[in-house]
Amino acid sequence: MQPTTPLVLCVLLSQVLQLTSAEDLDCTPGFQRKLFHINQPAEFIEDQAILNLTFSDCKGNDKLHYEVSSPYFKVNNDGSLVALRNVTAVGKTLFVHAQTPHAEDMAELVIVGGKDIRGSLQVVDSDRPEGSKFRLTGKGVDQEPKGIFRINENTGSVSVTRNLDRETIATYQLLVETIDVNGRTLEGPVPLEVIVIDQNDNRPIFQEGPYIGHVMEGSPTGTTVMRMTAFDADDPATDNALLRYNIRQQTPDRPSPNMFYIDPEKGDIVTVVSPALLDRETLENPKYELIIEAQDMAGLDVGLTGTATATIMIDDKNDHSPKFTKKEFQATVEEGAVGVIVNLTVEDKDDPTTGAWRAAYTIINGNPGQSFEIHTNPQTNEGMLSVVKPLDYEISAFHTLLIKVENEDPLVPDVSYGPSSTATVHITVLDVNEGPVFHPDPMMVTKQEHISVGSVLLTVNATDPDSLQHQTIRYSVYKDPAGWLNINPINGTVDTTAVLDRESPFVHNSVYTALFLAIDSGNPPATGTGTLLITLEDVNDNAPFIYPTVAEVCDDAKNLSVVILGASDKDLHPNTDPFKFEIHKPTVPDKVWKISKINNTHALVSLLQNLNKANYHLPIMVTDSGKPPMTNITDLRVQVCSCKNSKVDCNTAGAPHFSTTAVLLLSFFSLARL
């Protein structure tokens, strides 16, 4: 047995084909005839021609090689199929595989009356030593999947034990060797390749759905919309996986039942109607559904089929310009009002979901003051014309606007905007009784506080915008929180009815605010409001005051400091600090109390000697720096308490129990915050 020549075993699963003939006018690579039927003879005679095969790769058949699925047959160079020896049974089908560097194909010979036998191969070695045996190894024998093939150890016949699936394993690489009785290799191993011949047992499957294509309306005939491709798990080198496509159904079937065509080999779907029929605005429905069928066996009736649905959308292009429903629109608006005054309506035949339908409006004339704006209503596509700056009847009672409308998307080249894409809007402004207007507003004046009652502050001025109505104006006080002011109803003179006090709670940051009304003589009358801001200059009209006014000290205290006093003044600088602190001596004995300045706002009160437990009233006089200055005398109540064993007793003094130290700390804290 020679190990140099590989053995090829072609195992037949089963395959049913029908007779076909080449119909192409041009050269088509492959067998000119792929299916043959012969009756099972009593015996196939060695070297006797069974039939003639014709194969062409359209390039001269250089290096043409044939393989037959049965090892008992061969194909000669002239294409004749002959038996290598006398054979009685070969099964129901033979396959012939032809291949060149440029093409390959498979032909099938159906043996009518042949018996269904398992694929097998007789391994022959005439020089095999007596007593030796054949052994088969490899994937499918002693490797997973195990037990598919077996060999008769005496005759060398290789057989299949169960059905094979080419889509699972297409080829098996086995090894054949001869061994002695002890299992030692005598010859080999020789490679044995088992090729599983495909049968058509898989339908085409469309795996990439959903399939949705788009084509622009008016597209030229032959425009490619989309490609539909199916997958067939069978052998791609055979007709079992050679697919052909066709359109089984089109919905809707108007305006033509054949709006589209599919390339049977590539699966490309193209338009076949004229651009005029592909008009989205005239179609019953711009969406088409096609049932696409893929059939193997190159589309023969015996081929298996698979289907899928292709959805094709006829997309809109901007081939219709928007048109106003009328050339002129009317609107009225009251002077002083803002908001939408009229909706301009347009018509557009394009798709309402696209920019080819959505309108964009522009005011091209009549809006020099930018008093008007126009925006698109996204639901209705109408142009909403609005007044954004109040109009004045006295200035202009009529306005005329020229407005154009375009689409968001540009028009196609052969379509343009015409006269219907512009419209005129006539706007009538209605006169209303407008309230008088103060000039200026707010009105501002500066006065010293405490000016004489009856002093004139200013004369307000209000004018009536309704200049054509010749109305009179009367004035009144609207808001005067402190009740300080009066206004002459005829001439608008404002004077005081009380003293103006800068320190009043109605004054904020030295400014007092009052509101006045100007009322015209219209029917009904209209009112305008003006604001008066009075800035009050400070005068020294508030005396300073001290804090705190109560202090404690122990009767045996070693630290004779009593309290740190602070002073404050409601006036503004320079009518406040520095303050001058003094003890009002006419009522206080000498050599008992002392007051010392700490800074501009604070002073320290201390004892010159210890005092008995009692309440003492010390008059403190504090003076500000105003011109003239103002002085205030305040009693400081000092409680001298008994302090024994860390307990402070001020009961006899009739005062709260605050220690001198606590009072001093509180005073220092107040000092630190100033």
Side-chain angles (χ1 to χ4, degrees):
M1 184 174 189
Q2 301 299 321
T4 58
T5 303
L7 302 178
V8 178
L9 175 62
C10 296
V11 181
L12 171 65
L13 299 179
S14 67
Q15 186 162 343
V16 179
L17 299 173
Q18 286 192 346
L19 180 62
T20 183
S21 61
E23 298 178 354
D24 296 334
L25 298 177
D26 297 330
C27 179
T28 301
F31 284 105
Q32 292 187 8
R33 182 177 176 183
K34 299 179 185 293
L35 183 63
F36 300 86
H37 291 78
I38 64 171
N39 293 321
Q40 169 72 48
E43 187 176 39
F44 290 101
I45 306 302
E46 181 179 358
D47 289 333
Q48 180 177 322
I50 301 171
L51 55 84
N52 288 318
L53 301 167
T54 303
F55 175 88
S56 174
D57 65 357
C58 301
K59 294 184 181 293
N61 284 352
D62 183 37
K63 297 181 181 179
L64 175 61
H65 173 69
Y66 292 100
E67 287 183 345
V68 185
S69 59
S70 172
Y72 307 125
F73 296 86
K74 72 172 183 177
V75 178
N76 293 322
N77 292 335
D78 61 359
S80 59
L81 175 68
V82 299
L84 296 176
R85 61 182 179 84
N86 295 340
V87 180
T88 57
V90 295
K92 292 184 177 181
T93 310
L94 289 177
F95 289 93
V96 178
H97 180 254
Q99 183 176 12
T100 73
H102 305 289
E104 62 176 321
D105 201 0
M106 186 83 72
E108 180 181 6
L109 174 62
V110 178
I111 302 174
V112 181
K115 295 182 179 180
D116 188 12
I117 61 173
R118 295 267 184 191
S120 63
L121 173 67
Q122 184 73 33
V123 180
V124 180
D125 186 358
S126 58
D127 298 329
R128 182 166 61 91
E130 187 175 349
S132 63
K133 298 179 180 181
F134 290 99
R135 181 164 66 186
L136 184 66
T137 59
K139 182 179 179 179
V141 183
D142 56 350
Q143 300 175 21
E144 294 294 341
K146 297 180 180 179
I148 295 178
F149 303 98
R150 64 185 178 188
I151 190 169
N152 187 306
E153 61 183 14
N154 295 317
T155 64
S157 176
V158 178
S159 59
V160 179
T161 63
R162 57 180 181 268
N163 291 335
L164 304 180
D165 185 0
R166 189 205 67 84
E167 286 73 45
T168 303
I169 301 177
T171 61
Y172 294 86
Q173 304 296 329
L174 307 179
L175 296 175
V176 180
E177 59 185 344
T178 58
I179 59 175
D180 61 18
V181 294
N182 295 319
R184 292 190 296 268
T185 300
L186 298 177
E187 290 184 281
V190 175
L192 172 64
E193 181 181 20
V194 179
I195 300 175
V196 182
I197 303 299
D198 185 41
Q199 70 170 347
N200 193 19
D201 57 348
N202 290 278
R203 292 182 178 275
I205 299 174
F206 289 91
Q207 297 178 319
E208 301 175 357
Y211 295 91
I212 300 176
H214 294 263
V215 62
M216 189 69 68
E217 64 170 327
S219 295
T221 302
T223 298
T224 300
V225 180
M226 59 191 301
R227 172 171 288 187
M228 297 280 288
T229 56
F231 169 76
D232 194 310
D234 291 318
D235 187 354
T238 69
D239 287 354
N240 296 337
L242 184 59
L243 305 182
R244 293 294 182 264
Y245 301 93
N246 70 90
I247 299 174
R248 293 290 302 273
Q249 181 180 334
Q250 171 191 300
T251 305
D253 59 358
R254 291 184 294 274
S256 168
N258 300 303
M259 299 285 289
F260 305 94
Y261 164 80
I262 188 168
D263 187 302
E265 296 184 4
K266 297 179 181 179
D268 290 339
I269 299 176
V270 299
T271 61
V272 292
V273 295
S274 67
L277 289 181
L278 210 61
D279 184 0
R280 195 199 65 85
E281 286 75 37
T282 61
L283 294 176
E284 175 184 334
N285 188 341
K287 180 174 76 172
Y288 286 86
E289 289 189 348
L290 308 180
I291 304 299
I292 306 299
E293 179 185 74
Q295 187 171 29
D296 59 21
M297 298 300 297
L300 293 178
D301 291 342
V302 296
L304 302 178
T305 62
T307 61
T309 299
T311 301
I312 298 177
M313 305 298 300
I314 310 301
D315 291 338
D316 186 37
K317 64 180 180 180
N318 198 8
D319 54 351
H320 295 86
S321 62
K323 298 178 180 180
F324 284 102
T325 57
K326 51 187 178 180
K327 287 299 295 179
E328 294 185 348
F329 294 84
Q330 305 292 330
T332 58
V333 58
E334 291 184 347
E335 64 173 331
V338 295
V340 178
I341 59 173
V342 66
N343 290 315
L344 310 183
T345 53
V346 295
E347 293 178 345
D348 194 317
K349 295 181 180 180
D350 291 313
D351 185 355
T353 63
T354 67
W357 178 81
R358 291 190 291 270
Y361 298 87
T362 306
I363 303 172
I364 58 177
N365 196 13
N367 191 29
Q370 305 301 308
S371 299
F372 302 93
E373 287 183 358
I374 188 166
H375 300 281
T376 305
N377 185 316
Q379 281 73 43
T380 65
N381 215 29
E382 296 176 346
M384 301 182 296
L385 181 62
S386 302
V387 176
V388 294
K389 293 181 181 180
L391 303 177
D392 192 338
Y393 172 84
E394 285 69 32
I395 296 177
S396 178
F398 300 97
H399 297 267
T400 300
L401 304 180
L402 184 61
I403 297 177
K404 72 174 181 180
V405 62
E406 297 177 334
N407 289 129
E408 290 184 1
D409 292 348
L411 295 172
V412 296
D414 56 341
V415 178
S416 60
Y417 295 104
S420 297
S421 296
T422 58
T424 302
V425 182
H426 299 287
I427 302 162
T428 301
V429 182
L430 303 178
D431 188 23
V432 297
N433 188 21
E434 300 172 89
V437 178
F438 283 87
H439 303 283
D441 189 26
M443 301 162 282
M444 292 180 284
V445 65
T446 300
K447 297 292 182 180
Q448 273 196 347
E449 62 174 332
H450 290 285
I451 61 174
S452 302
V453 174
S455 298
V456 175
L457 300 181
L458 81 165
T459 298
V460 301
N461 178 38
T463 58
D464 191 346
D466 301 306
S467 57
L468 302 179
Q469 299 184 22
H470 306 290
Q471 299 181 126
T472 60
I473 296 176
R474 294 180 62 84
Y475 300 96
S476 65
V477 177
Y478 179 42
K479 288 186 179 180
D480 179 17
W484 292 342
L485 305 176
N486 176 64
I487 188 169
N488 185 301
I490 305 301
N491 61 24
T493 299
V494 179
D495 56 14
T496 63
T497 60
V499 174
L500 307 183
D501 184 6
R502 192 198 66 82
E503 291 75 34
S504 168
F506 298 107
V507 177
H508 301 284
N509 296 324
S510 300
V511 176
Y512 180 70
T513 302
L515 301 179
F516 297 94
L517 298 179
I519 307 167
D520 66 20
S521 57
N523 185 21
T527 302
T529 304
T531 301
L532 173 61
L533 303 178
I534 305 173
T535 301
L536 295 175
E537 296 178 339
D538 186 42
V539 298
N540 195 16
D541 58 343
N542 290 277
F545 58 91
I546 64 168
Y547 58 89
T549 58
V550 178
E552 289 182 358
V553 65
C554 292
D555 55 2
D556 58 352
K558 295 180 180 180
N559 183 359
L560 297 180
S561 296
V562 177
V563 67
I564 294 177
L565 296 179
S568 183
D569 195 315
K570 292 182 179 180
D571 293 317
L572 298 178
H573 192 76
N575 296 321
T576 56
D577 61 87
F579 298 111
K580 180 180 180 182
F581 295 89
E582 297 175 280
I583 297 174
H584 194 49
K585 293 185 177 181
T587 60
V588 178
D590 292 334
K591 300 182 180 179
V592 176
W593 304 93
K594 178 183 177 182
I595 188 165
S596 306
K597 179 180 178 180
I598 297 177
N599 56 27
N600 288 344
T601 57
H602 288 76
L604 172 64
V605 176
S606 57
L607 287 168
L608 299 177
Q609 62 185 35
N610 291 110
L611 297 177
N612 294 327
K613 181 179 179 183
N615 285 340
Y616 298 88
H617 293 273
L618 181 63
I620 303 297
M621 183 169 63
V622 59
T623 305
D624 63 24
S625 297
K627 297 183 184 301
M630 294 194 71
T631 299
N632 181 29
I633 299 175
T634 303
D635 276 349
L636 173 64
R637 187 170 62 149
V638 180
Q639 298 172 301
V640 180
C641 306
S642 175
C643 304
K644 303 294 185 183
N645 299 324
S646 300
K647 294 182 179 180
V648 178
D649 180 12
C650 298
N651 287 338
T652 304
H657 291 207
F658 294 101
S659 67
T660 303
T661 303
V663 173
L664 287 172
L665 289 176
L666 178 61
S667 300
F668 274 116
F669 177 73
S670 300
L671 175 62
R673 298 184 61 183
L674 295 176

